[in-house]
Amino acid sequence: MPVWKYRSIEETPEVRTVKRDRPLGARIRAVLSLAPIAGPLGMPRGVHKFRSIDDLHADRRKYERQRIARIRERNERLRKP
């Protein structure tokens, strides 16, 4: 992002504001309402050491599969036939 210098405050461009249709609190609640759908990550907390990058990826895939299975159990639309 470039840095612009102005000799006076009059040279600065006008600040644009965005008019929002909903207050910030309502938007935050809407986003947070999605959290139960995704659920917890299910990964153990802390720092983990792996022997190789392949071991890391395998471990991550395992937790991703478990999380997808939990989401599918909760949501009937996402269940596999």
Side-chain angles (χ1 to χ4, degrees), residues 53-80:
I53 194 77
D54 294 329
D55 290 346
L56 167 70
H57 292 310
D59 192 57
R60 183 176 294 161
R61 279 192 297 271
K62 178 182 83 170
Y63 288 111
E64 286 175 355
R65 279 191 231 107
Q66 290 174 354
R67 187 172 186 204
I68 290 169
R70 276 197 317 270
I71 292 170
R72 284 187 173 145
E73 284 175 8
R74 292 182 194 154
N75 193 335
E76 291 183 21
R77 292 183 315 146
L78 300 176
R79 287 188 184 153
K80 286 185 175 182

Side-chain angles (χ1 to χ4, degrees), residues 30-57:
V31 170
L32 292 178
S33 70
L34 300 174
I37 295 169
L41 292 178
M43 295 181 73
R45 297 177 69 148
V47 178
H48 307 278
K49 290 185 179 181
F50 297 96
R51 292 187 182 269
S52 68
I53 194 77
D54 294 329
D55 290 346
L56 167 70
H57 292 310

Side-chain angles (χ1 to χ4, degrees), residues 2-55:
V3 176
W4 301 95
K5 290 186 177 184
Y6 300 100
R7 293 180 189 266
S8 67
I9 194 71
E10 289 80 23
E11 292 180 10
T12 59
E14 195 66 32
V15 176
R16 290 180 265 159
T17 58
V18 177
K19 185 171 181 168
R20 307 217 187 271
D21 56 344
R22 294 191 302 174
L24 179 61
R27 290 194 315 259
I28 291 172
R29 278 190 296 279
V31 170
L32 292 178
S33 70
L34 300 174
I37 295 169
L41 292 178
M43 295 181 73
R45 297 177 69 148
V47 178
H48 307 278
K49 290 185 179 181
F50 297 96
R51 292 187 182 269
S52 68
I53 194 77
D54 294 329
D55 290 346

